[in-house]
Amino acid sequence: MAGKKDYYELLGVPRGASPEEIKKAYRNMAKKFHPDANPNNKEAEEKFKEINEAYEVLSDPPKKGAYDQFGHAGVGAGGPGGRGGGGFRPQDFGNAADFEDIFGDVFSNFFGGQSRPGRSQVQEGDDLRYDLKLTFEEAAFGTTREVKVRKLATCESCHGSGAKPGSGRVVCPTCKGTGQIRSSQGFFTIARTCGRCGGQGEMPGSPCPTCRGNGRVERERVISVKVPAGVDEGSRLRLRGEGEAGVNGGPAGDLYVFLHVEAHDFFEREGGDLHCEVPISFVQASLGAEIEVPTLEGPVKMKIPAGTQSGKVFRLREKGLRTPQSSEVGDLLTTVVVETPTELNARQKKLLEEFEALSQEGNTPEVHKFMAKMKNLFTRKK
């Protein structure tokens, strides 16, 4: 057994790796060292043989158990099963589905097609994306918008068959109806998708002049999109069957509408609640007042108590939003900001000076409390 490499090291997995981890590691290595990805590279071909040998043992529980206990001696002097050489053959896998699962993706990557006949004869259409801009109010109350989407639709002339009406379809002369072209490369036999019929095994006897044999044509369609009330930025709507048409009778894909909400002049949103700032004057804050504040349904009256401080938050119940996730309506949280007077004339300055002279500790308790703390702080330091 001298010179043979450790199977776990070959696949780059620890000895305690799960079957899923071993399979994933093998798939990555197989794609990397496949002969078709490394033409005329003997070193890569030899590496490919080694990882196949390693996977054959580590993917088979009895063989893996023998290898874990006795090393290479436990799985035969010439490699797995005592065959010698370590060459890979599809029949070496006890589970054909396992072989398809692993090498189906490898073939697809190298040849852009399927690994077995008929695998893609019926295909689902692609999903589409549409980005829809909404005003803040449209998002809040809901709306219905019509959008124009260009997509591949089933050809109406041939009903998706790709054949000129009356001509029908014929067996592909290149692959003889199998959908695959097989070729041998060294020790490996590879099947690739027939490029003439796209793996279908048949083709239009005479191509449809409308879709040129594709079975689908590009069309612009107007689609009505119903936007529920309370959607937020980044919300996504799914319209089933409004994507591109399927191939050979396959189902249509879906249309995903991504919503983008414009900013509002007054409001910022947090879930179902709305936030806004409202400026008030020094006099309104001092004496109290009744002011108008905006809501989504129009202005409403709000009372400001005397002595209100800047930054005070007032909650207006159920003046927010009803979200799609909840039946309850959010609130409007209004923050008042006291505006300091600017550009005072001489008379106003005089009155404010008189007001300051008449002020008592109870008029500005926070100011006096702060000054007292500061005085006490510096008194202790002396």
Side-chain angles (χ1 to χ4, degrees):
M1 300 307 146
K4 288 190 72 67
K5 298 179 182 179
D6 181 82
Y7 289 152
Y8 290 98
E9 291 182 5
L10 281 169
L11 297 183
V13 296
R15 286 190 170 269
S18 66
E20 291 75 18
E21 291 172 329
I22 292 172
K23 178 186 286 188
K24 182 178 180 181
Y26 171 66
R27 292 177 66 173
N28 292 335
M29 297 288 282
K31 293 175 184 178
K32 180 178 179 181
F33 293 104
H34 193 281
D36 288 289
N38 303 272
N40 302 318
N41 187 332
K42 295 296 183 182
E43 184 178 346
E45 183 174 333
E46 186 61 31
K47 184 73 171 180
F48 188 65
K49 293 179 181 179
E50 290 177 341
I51 61 178
N52 281 323
E53 178 181 324
Y55 181 72
E56 182 184 349
V57 171
L58 299 184
S59 64
D60 186 300
K63 293 180 182 179
K64 181 177 182 296
Y67 177 75
D68 289 344
Q69 186 172 4
F70 302 108
H72 291 290
V75 290
R83 288 194 306 272
F88 170 78
R89 300 177 300 175
Q91 58 268 32
D92 292 337
F93 280 93
N95 187 342
D98 193 40
F99 172 76
E100 285 286 347
D101 176 49
I102 293 172
F103 281 94
D105 287 347
V106 176
F107 295 150
S108 180
N109 284 344
F110 292 139
F111 303 111
Q114 66 267 19
S115 62
R116 53 182 174 177
R119 190 172 183 174
S120 299
Q121 290 185 6
V122 175
Q123 298 178 9
E124 182 177 359
D126 290 336
D127 295 332
L128 297 177
R129 170 175 177 152
Y130 188 94
D131 292 271
L132 180 61
K133 291 184 178 180
L134 302 171
T135 66
F136 197 92
E137 286 78 8
E138 286 176 326
F141 297 113
T143 186
T144 299
R145 293 277 295 275
E146 290 188 342
V147 300
K148 292 182 179 180
V149 178
R150 293 198 67 84
K151 61 179 182 178
L152 290 175
T154 301
C155 176
E156 296 179 356
S157 298
C158 66
H159 304 291
S161 70
K164 182 178 180 180
S167 68
R169 297 174 67 85
V170 298
V171 174
C172 174
T174 301
C175 66
K176 310 302 181 185
T178 65
Q180 292 184 336
I181 303 297
R182 294 183 176 272
S183 60
S184 297
Q185 296 188 9
F187 66 95
F188 217 94
T189 299
I190 298 175
R192 58 184 174 86
T193 302
C194 176
R196 187 167 185 180
C197 66
Q200 298 178 30
E202 58 179 26
M203 54 192 298
S206 179
C208 171
T210 303
C211 64
R212 299 180 180 179
N214 293 320
R216 300 185 298 176
V217 292
E218 191 175 72
R219 292 276 189 267
E220 183 175 78
R221 174 172 163 79
V222 178
I223 301 173
S224 180
V225 179
K226 187 176 181 180
V227 180
V231 295
D232 204 350
E233 171 68 29
S235 296
R236 186 184 70 174
L237 305 177
R238 180 182 184 182
L239 279 66
R240 295 184 181 274
E242 292 292 358
E244 294 194 332
V247 178
N248 296 323
D254 300 329
L255 173 64
Y256 289 89
V257 181
F258 287 76
L259 305 178
H260 304 280
V261 183
E262 296 177 353
H264 197 274
D265 291 338
F266 290 115
F267 305 117
E268 290 186 2
R269 178 176 177 177
E270 183 179 1
D273 292 336
L274 298 178
H275 296 259
C276 75
E277 289 187 351
V278 177
I280 61 175
S281 69
F282 166 73
V283 175
Q284 288 174 320
S286 301
L287 302 180
E290 187 176 71
I291 65 172
E292 282 192 340
V293 297
T295 73
L296 285 174
E297 297 175 342
V300 298
K301 299 288 186 179
M302 186 177 78
K303 289 185 177 181
I304 303 294
T308 293
Q309 302 300 309
S310 188
K312 173 70 175 178
V313 179
F314 295 89
R315 182 183 295 270
L316 301 181
R317 300 286 181 183
E318 298 187 351
K319 292 298 182 182
L321 301 173
R322 187 189 305 275
T323 66
Q325 298 79 20
S326 174
S327 59
E328 297 181 355
V329 180
D331 302 329
L332 171 63
L333 289 87
T334 302
T335 303
V336 295
V337 179
V338 179
E339 184 177 23
T340 303
T342 60
E343 300 181 6
L344 300 174
N345 58 35
R347 175 62 176 161
Q348 290 171 324
K349 291 180 181 179
K350 181 67 174 176
L351 290 173
L352 285 177
E353 289 171 354
E354 292 178 3
F355 172 80
E356 180 67 16
L358 294 173
S359 295
Q360 300 176 359
E361 183 175 338
N363 297 137
T364 54
E366 294 300 322
V367 173
H368 285 79
K369 187 185 298 183
F370 176 80
M371 296 302 294
K373 285 184 178 180
M374 189 168 66
K375 182 178 179 180
N376 184 52
L377 173 64
F378 288 104
T379 300
R380 291 201 309 268
K381 288 185 177 182
K382 289 183 180 180

